Amino acid sequence: MGYRGGYGGFGGGFGGGNQMQNLMKQAQKMQEEMQKAQAELEEAEIEGSAGGGLVTVTMNAKKVVTSIEINPDAVDADDITMLEDLIIAALNDAYKKADEMYAQKMGAFGGMGL
């Protein structure tokens, strides 16, 4: 038996540079896919609503609120608490939908870059 060089019979560094190149290509592809998914999350429009549509909140999947629409029927000067509750409910509905979309788009990346 003679000395073969390399480590554990891998000869010259884990099968040459081919495996390393493949790993680098896979990592680059995953990074590109993750950037694409994050861009889609920023561009998504998610609506949450409450009170049968009396209050509608629009946000992206990164939970940045872009608009709130309040139907005039929801405005009662004697019951501001109801309107506040509707806004909170609409926000929570939109947040839940944003979480679901985020998990769907980013779950494949196993928490990388989050």
Side-chain angles (χ1 to χ4, degrees):
M1 290 198 178
Y3 177 73
R4 292 185 192 198
Y7 298 96
F10 287 107
F14 303 103
N18 198 23
Q19 285 181 338
M20 185 59 79
Q21 280 181 325
N22 286 340
L23 286 175
M24 293 298 287
K25 285 180 184 179
Q26 288 175 343
Q28 183 177 4
K29 183 179 179 188
M30 182 176 274
Q31 183 178 13
E32 290 170 359
E33 289 174 358
M34 187 167 56
Q35 289 172 341
K36 180 182 174 191
Q38 288 182 348
E40 289 174 5
L41 292 172
E42 289 177 12
E43 294 171 6
E45 285 196 355
I46 297 169
E47 284 189 358
S49 65
L54 290 176
V55 175
T56 302
V57 173
T58 305
M59 66 175 59
N60 67 23
K62 288 194 167 187
K63 299 181 183 177
V64 176
V65 175
T66 56
S67 73
I68 296 177
E69 295 178 29
I70 300 172
N71 183 313
D73 293 341
V75 181
D76 180 354
D78 295 328
D79 193 3
I80 296 298
T81 303
M82 181 190 76
L83 178 57
E84 293 169 343
D85 289 344
L86 288 172
I87 293 169
I88 290 169
L91 282 166
N92 287 333
D93 185 40
Y95 284 144
K96 179 182 173 202
K97 291 175 182 176
D99 284 340
E100 290 169 359
M101 180 179 279
Y102 192 92
Q104 178 185 13
K105 293 278 185 191
M106 299 305 289
F109 301 107
M112 292 176 20
L114 305 180

